[in-house]
Amino acid sequence: MVKQNRVFDNFFNQVRDNHYWSQNDPVVVAVSTGVDSMVLLDLLTKLPPTLKPKIIVAHINHKLRKQSEKEQIFLQKYCQQNGLIFELSIWAKNMHPATGIEAAGRQFRYAFFKKVMHKYNARILMTAHHANDQAETVLMKLIRGNYISGLSGIELKRSFDTGELIRPLLKFKKNDIKQYAIKNEVKWFEDVTNKDLDVQRNRFRNVILPLMQKENSHAVEHIGEFSEELNDLKKTNEFLLKQTLKYVWNSKNDSLNIKSLFKYPDYIQKSLIVYLIFHKKNIKNVKPKLIDEILTLLKNSHKPQAKFRLTKDVYLTKNYNLCTINDDNNETLVNDAKTTSLLINHWYKAIAGFSFGVFDEQFNYNALNEIDRKSTFYLNDKQLPLIVRLTNKNDKITLKNGGHQSAKRIFINKKVPNFFRERAQTLLDKDGRVLSIIGYSESTILKSTDKRYTLLVKGINLKGEEHE
């Protein structure tokens, strides 16, 4: 059996056995006019009617080379001659960034592919990534020093937008694809920039991988098998970590219990941290050194509270026995920290998430369930309306003995994490006298009037004992 037929037979069997689509389903195919994508297009057009989808060719003119205009015209004519739908997008030169042009180009391409999928109600995007691409990707990740979960290569199939991205040539070697094109007279264009050794991928493609294939002619296949094993291990690991996570993660306040984490062996601790960083904030390419630094911080008893920058805008925060992963949202806190006059017998939502209200004697709060904190004040009409504002660390409540205690000392004594300190609110009378650091402590006010008011707090998750 000649090689070009074997390529088609393998492609045919893959499409038939995996049921990627039904007959005439719309499928968007990313085509650059390089040999890989032109062979993919040729293979699709040669499928029998029962397996052939409705092919929509998506092409981007990146305006990076003079040859791009010829490629665009050629592909338009090809689609006309073969009865294929052609969709074009042009990445104008004024849209090219000064740096990071490869990443920007990729972002532009996939945004365009999504638009085309929506236009034709297509649930499948196909690209022509092949086994050599896979080998290059794995090797590049390996030398970058990624955590093992980031070493797995390109997936044959993955979720994309509202559908799937499928790479049917992923197990086909570059040489086999090229030989198929020659034998079947498939026209393609060579991108001369693929020979530029200033680009890292090109060095792997043209220098490093060929040297490895000289050492072992099956190097590409073996790296591909290694990538598949890594993907399987990654999925297995994630499945097991998800089961373990429920013992260390509090979903109510999105926090990690540090003591519970340290009950597990070091290697489980590391894996759980990586899993959380990826799944909570989709931060990829996590390096082992970063995980070691995080665990060192969490174990450091001399730093009960600390922040660790994961990215420009995302922090891992340690607050005593809790660890959270959040965006830096100080600006939001300022916007939420307005001084508010309270209505009596009305519930309010605190910045920290719980509910509170001040009620008079006419309100039957005894009928309420799940009241977490209740405090009574005797106030006269001149002290109303009551107001709430963001807590100042120097706010002081009045103690039974006539002394005072600052909000700062209350927080320290109760081991309240910074996350909650920053969101704490103070209840004051009209003259600015502190009645309560809401949810934490209240002033003792002597009965100077018969008008009784009750501060009620529910849905609270701030008790100091939980953070010790």
Side-chain angles (χ1 to χ4, degrees):
M1 183 179 288
V2 293
K3 184 169 286 189
Q4 67 269 23
N5 287 340
R6 190 177 72 200
V7 168
F8 178 80
D9 289 344
N10 289 341
F11 181 79
F12 171 87
N13 292 336
Q14 182 185 168
V15 170
R16 180 198 59 197
D17 296 343
N18 286 282
H19 306 287
Y20 292 138
W21 56 76
S22 298
Q23 184 178 356
N24 292 322
D25 277 355
V27 170
V28 177
V29 187
V31 181
S32 66
T33 71
V35 64
D36 314 318
S37 58
M38 289 306 300
V39 165
L40 174 59
L41 194 54
D42 186 78
L43 291 168
L44 286 167
T45 59
K46 288 179 178 176
L47 288 171
T50 55
L51 288 179
K52 187 180 294 184
K54 179 182 179 181
I55 302 170
I56 298 108
V57 175
H59 176 72
I60 299 98
N61 184 337
H62 291 85
K63 293 291 183 177
L64 292 171
R65 298 171 287 112
K66 292 181 180 180
Q67 188 173 289
S68 297
E69 307 304 321
K70 292 181 180 179
E71 294 172 1
Q72 176 186 322
I73 294 169
F74 159 76
L75 192 55
Q76 283 177 309
K77 288 182 179 178
Y78 179 96
C79 291
Q80 289 173 358
Q81 293 167 357
N82 289 275
L84 307 177
I85 298 171
F86 178 75
E87 287 288 339
L88 172 69
S89 182
I90 295 176
W91 195 32
K93 287 186 177 181
N94 60 7
M95 297 175 67
H96 296 184
T99 59
I101 195 164
E102 287 184 59
R106 185 181 186 282
Q107 185 176 9
F108 181 88
R109 285 195 298 276
Y110 281 90
F112 170 59
F113 297 152
K114 286 181 183 179
K115 290 179 183 178
V116 177
M117 290 174 74
H118 291 174
K119 179 177 179 179
Y120 293 94
N121 196 28
R123 62 178 185 82
I124 291 176
L125 168 68
M126 301 190 83
T127 63
H129 292 91
H130 48 76
N132 290 59
D133 291 326
Q134 178 75 286
E136 294 161 12
T137 299
V138 172
L139 291 172
M140 288 167 64
K141 287 185 174 183
L142 190 61
I143 68 164
R144 288 173 188 163
N146 289 324
Y147 206 79
I148 192 167
S149 61
L151 286 179
S152 55
I154 307 167
E155 293 183 277
L156 176 67
K157 184 169 67 170
R158 69 169 177 85
S159 298
F160 179 75
D161 196 35
T162 57
E164 290 182 314
L165 169 56
I166 298 174
R167 303 174 175 103
L169 302 185
L170 198 57
K171 293 187 178 181
F172 293 66
K173 290 196 295 184
K174 176 78 171 187
N175 188 58
D176 291 345
I177 292 171
K178 199 165 187 177
Q179 289 304 312
Y180 174 93
I182 293 169
K183 295 290 185 180
N184 290 273
E185 298 180 345
V186 176
K187 184 176 179 180
W188 78 87
F189 288 77
E190 289 286 356
D191 184 349
V192 293
T193 62
N194 287 338
K195 301 294 182 182
D196 181 4
L197 296 183
D198 288 335
V199 178
Q200 186 189 52
R201 182 172 287 275
N202 289 345
R203 293 194 294 275
F204 276 88
R205 178 173 298 162
N206 299 305
V207 180
I208 297 172
L209 196 55
L211 284 173
M212 295 180 74
Q213 288 175 295
K214 282 185 178 180
E215 292 294 326
N216 187 325
S217 60
H218 297 289
V220 170
E221 294 99 314
H222 291 168
I223 296 173
E225 291 165 359
F226 171 70
S227 178
E228 284 187 42
E229 289 180 22
L230 275 180
N231 275 317
D232 288 342
L233 285 171
K234 179 182 175 183
K235 291 174 183 176
T236 301
N237 195 43
E238 289 181 353
F239 176 82
L240 296 174
L241 287 172
K242 190 175 182 180
Q243 313 306 310
T244 307
L245 192 63
K246 60 187 178 184
Y247 299 110
V248 300
W249 185 260
N250 186 332
S251 57
K252 288 184 179 179
N253 59 13
D254 266 353
S255 63
L256 177 71
N257 186 296
I258 297 172
K259 284 185 179 178
S260 297
L261 175 69
F262 289 151
K263 290 178 182 178
Y264 292 92
D266 288 351
Y267 54 89
I268 298 293
Q269 295 172 22
K270 291 180 180 181
S271 296
L272 281 168
I273 295 294
V274 173
Y275 181 83
L276 283 171
I277 290 172
F278 177 80
H279 287 275
K280 290 296 176 184
K281 290 297 175 182
N282 197 29
I283 299 173
K284 303 177 182 178
N285 302 325
V286 180
K287 299 183 184 298
K289 183 180 178 182
L290 177 71
I291 303 304
D292 289 338
E293 289 175 357
I294 290 171
L295 286 172
T296 299
L297 173 65
L298 297 183
K299 291 175 181 177
N300 188 346
S301 60
H302 298 293
K303 288 188 176 181
Q305 300 191 87
K307 268 189 174 183
F308 188 96
R309 187 190 292 271
L310 296 175
T311 68
K312 179 182 177 182
D313 302 312
V314 180
Y315 287 86
L316 181 144
T317 305
K318 176 187 178 183
N319 287 306
Y320 294 99
N321 190 42
L322 295 182
C323 172
T324 56
I325 303 172
N326 295 302
D327 297 331
D328 186 19
N329 55 0
N330 288 331
E331 184 176 345
T332 303
L333 283 178
V334 172
N335 293 336
D336 287 340
K338 297 174 182 176
T339 299
T340 304
S341 295
L342 297 190
L343 297 174
I344 302 300
N345 298 333
H346 185 82
W347 285 105
Y348 290 89
K349 193 80 170 179
I351 297 174
F354 59 86
S355 298
F356 71 95
V358 177
F359 302 88
D360 62 19
E361 295 171 317
Q362 306 302 316
F363 185 82
N364 183 17
Y365 57 80
N366 291 320
L368 294 175
N369 295 322
E370 299 181 356
I371 294 298
D372 296 308
R373 198 173 185 99
K374 181 176 70 173
S375 312
T376 300
F377 305 107
Y378 291 90
L379 307 170
N380 60 49
D381 292 341
K382 292 182 179 180
Q383 291 175 278
L384 302 178
L386 303 181
I387 59 175
V388 170
R389 60 162 169 74
L390 204 63
T391 297
N392 183 300
K393 67 179 180 179
N394 295 317
D395 286 346
K396 294 180 179 180
I397 64 162
T398 304
L399 303 175
K400 287 182 180 180
N401 61 8
H404 296 85
Q405 189 174 53
S406 69
K408 180 179 179 181
R409 175 49 56 188
I410 291 169
F411 293 148
I412 292 172
N413 290 347
K414 291 180 177 289
K415 296 185 178 179
V416 177
N418 283 335
F419 176 86
F420 289 121
R421 295 185 194 190
E422 293 167 354
R423 288 158 176 76
Q425 290 170 284
T426 298
L427 176 68
L428 309 98
D429 68 9
K430 185 179 179 181
D431 297 324
R433 184 165 52 167
V434 173
L435 301 179
S436 172
I437 310 300
I438 304 175
Y440 296 100
S441 190
E442 296 77 29
S443 289
T444 300
I445 298 177
L446 296 177
K447 186 177 179 180
S448 59
T449 175
D450 289 332
K451 286 193 175 183
R452 186 184 69 201
Y453 294 89
T454 304
L455 169 64
L456 301 178
V457 183
K458 64 180 181 179
I460 199 167
N461 190 27
L462 309 172
K463 298 174 184 177
E465 293 86 357
E466 296 179 4
H467 309 297
E468 292 178 356

